């Protein structure tokens, strides 16, 4: 029998957050969503009686504290926290961007993840499940020209996840990141609105095609998250799992969690000489210095 969970999803009014809320509620889980746009939240909540909603700006600590009080009145404990709220933010060469909008991307993506996790942690610790999921994104593990605010903020979310995983390990909390890949949601409309000259010809055309044809199926991302909040992922923490590339659905992955945790696999790390093949010419040349 499926264990029903008490789940909180930020950014639940649209995109991946909304899809998650709808799917998880159909499975019988109790879901609370939050976001800044009441009408979007109401629309999602109207699809299932198992979804409750509350307006919250995750970048505002007073708003988050008020929201945490609301959640505490609905749930005696919180099993799963999914930090899905995010912005793609300012687009363009960094010195040509609006400084306030660039900062806002960090306030939502990074500070918002921090605030919600901080204020909901006491309720999460009352659960036996204690799972947190954050979202990585384009640029977290590689350069993403003209998207500096988004890329750098997502790298920061990954590091926050890894750091928090160590800090909370003794409390039984598992915290991981999901890298969803390019999912055709409204977040990418900012790219199309910015235009080819600002975005760059290659990525603009890439986005336009992906928005038409789709890329990573939304249901694949949902399935990955279902795995990460299930008992099958127990023991996995401080990792970023790609919904589309990693073999999280395979039995061998699940049987290898202990080995994965003892490695740097699925983490944000600097490449050192020892990471290169011992016969690599550059490694040999620099090692001899």
């Amino acid at each position: 029998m499926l264990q029903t969970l008490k789940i909180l999803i930020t950014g639940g009014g649209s995109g991946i957050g909304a899809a998650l809320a709808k799917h998880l509620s159909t499975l019988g889980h109790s879901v609370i969503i939050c976001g800044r746009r009441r009408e979007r939240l109401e629309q999602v909540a109207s699809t299932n009686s198992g979804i409750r909603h509350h307006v919250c700006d995750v970048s505002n600590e007073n708003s988050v504290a008020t929201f945490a009080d609301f959640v505490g009145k609905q749930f005696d404990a919180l099993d799963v926290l999914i930090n899905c709220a995010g912005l793609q933010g300012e687009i363009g060469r960094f010195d040509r961007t609006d400084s306030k909008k660039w900062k806002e991307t960090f306030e939502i993506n990074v500070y918002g993840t921090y605030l919600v996790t901080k204020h909901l942690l006491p309720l999460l610790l009352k659960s036996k499940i204690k799972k947190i999921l954050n979202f990585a994104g384009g640029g977290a593990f590689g350069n993403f020209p003209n998207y500096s605010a988004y890329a750098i903020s997502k790298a920061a979310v990954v590091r926050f996840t890894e750091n928090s995983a160590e800090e909370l390990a003794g409390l039984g909390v598992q915290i991981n990141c999901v890298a969803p890949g390019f999912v055709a949601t409204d977040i990418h409309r900012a790219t199309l609105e910015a235009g080819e000259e600002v975005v760059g010809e290659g990525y603009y055309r890439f986005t336009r095609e992906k928005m038409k044809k789709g890329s990573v199926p939304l249901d694949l991302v949902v399935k990955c998250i279902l795995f990460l909040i299930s008992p099958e992922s127990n023991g996995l923490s401080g990792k970023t799992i790609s919904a589309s590339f990693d073999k999280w659905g395979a039995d061998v992955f699940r049987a290898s969690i202990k080995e994965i945790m003892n490695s740097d696999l699925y983490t944000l790390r600097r490449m050192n000489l020892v990471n290169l093949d011992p016969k690599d010419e550059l490694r040999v040349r620099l090692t001899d210095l």
Side-chain angles (χ1 to χ4, degrees):
M1 183 177 178
L2 176 70
Q3 180 182 10
T4 57
L5 303 173
K6 298 180 178 68
I7 302 172
L8 168 59
I9 304 172
T10 70
S14 62
I16 294 174
L20 271 174
K22 292 174 184 178
H23 187 85
L24 290 169
S25 63
T26 62
L27 295 177
H29 300 301
S30 296
V31 179
I32 295 178
I33 60 174
C34 76
R36 293 186 291 183
R37 293 172 289 187
R38 184 182 302 276
E39 66 280 1
R40 290 277 188 104
L41 298 173
E42 290 175 345
Q43 184 178 20
V44 174
S46 68
T47 64
N48 193 294
S49 60
I51 303 175
R52 281 164 276 187
H53 68 281
H54 194 278
V55 174
C56 175
D57 178 356
V58 299
S59 67
N60 182 295
E61 187 157 19
N62 288 333
S63 182
V64 173
T66 299
F67 177 55
D69 288 340
F70 169 81
V71 177
K73 292 175 182 177
Q74 307 297 314
F75 293 159
D76 56 354
L78 180 65
D79 298 315
V80 178
L81 166 60
I82 303 177
N83 285 304
C84 200
L87 290 179
Q88 196 163 59
E90 269 293 87
I91 301 172
R93 204 174 79 181
F94 78 92
D95 59 319
R96 296 172 179 169
T97 57
D98 182 297
S99 301
K100 290 183 179 180
K101 292 181 180 178
W102 199 94
K103 181 183 177 183
E104 182 188 19
T105 311
F106 265 75
E107 291 172 340
I108 296 291
N109 295 358
V110 185
Y111 191 51
T113 298
Y114 155 80
L115 283 178
V116 174
T117 305
K118 174 183 178 178
H119 284 275
L120 272 300
L121 183 61
L123 195 60
L124 193 82
L125 293 177
K126 294 181 180 181
S127 166
K128 294 181 179 179
I129 310 297
K130 303 183 187 73
K131 296 200 177 191
I132 303 172
L133 292 183
N134 298 325
F135 276 78
F141 297 95
N143 295 338
F144 195 3
N146 298 318
Y147 290 80
S148 59
Y150 183 75
I152 299 167
S153 69
K154 286 302 183 179
V157 169
V158 172
R159 178 58 80 222
F160 173 72
T161 300
E162 294 179 2
N163 207 65
S164 299
E166 290 196 30
E167 293 179 354
L168 301 176
L171 298 173
V173 177
Q174 291 179 235
I175 175 169
N176 292 293
C177 249
V178 178
F182 192 105
V183 180
T185 62
D186 286 345
I187 194 173
H188 299 291
R189 297 196 182 282
T191 292
L192 302 181
E193 292 171 0
E196 188 173 321
E197 184 177 344
V198 174
V199 172
E201 178 182 348
Y203 191 71
Y204 179 83
R205 293 186 177 181
F206 170 83
T207 300
R208 187 175 59 187
E209 289 302 308
K210 292 297 183 182
M211 289 297 285
K212 288 180 180 178
K213 301 178 181 178
S215 184
V216 177
L218 188 55
D219 64 342
L220 181 64
V221 179
V222 171
K223 288 178 182 177
C224 179
I225 291 169
L226 288 176
F227 161 67
L228 289 171
I229 68 174
S230 76
E232 294 178 294
S233 71
N234 285 352
L236 187 71
S237 193
K239 302 294 184 178
T240 298
I241 304 301
S242 168
S244 58
F245 290 111
D246 296 332
K247 306 302 180 182
W248 48 267
D251 290 340
V252 65
F253 182 100
R254 302 170 190 207
S256 303
I257 287 179
K258 185 176 181 179
E259 288 80 3
I260 291 172
M261 288 300 298
N262 288 328
S263 76
D264 283 337
L265 194 60
Y266 311 130
T267 57
L268 184 64
R269 297 291 182 268
R270 174 182 182 267
M271 289 294 293
N272 294 303
L273 288 176
V274 295
N275 299 124
L276 300 179
D277 187 293
K279 297 180 181 179
D280 183 271
E281 182 181 339
L282 183 61
R283 172 175 172 170
V284 173
R285 188 162 67 245
L286 294 179
T287 300
D288 290 339
L289 292 177

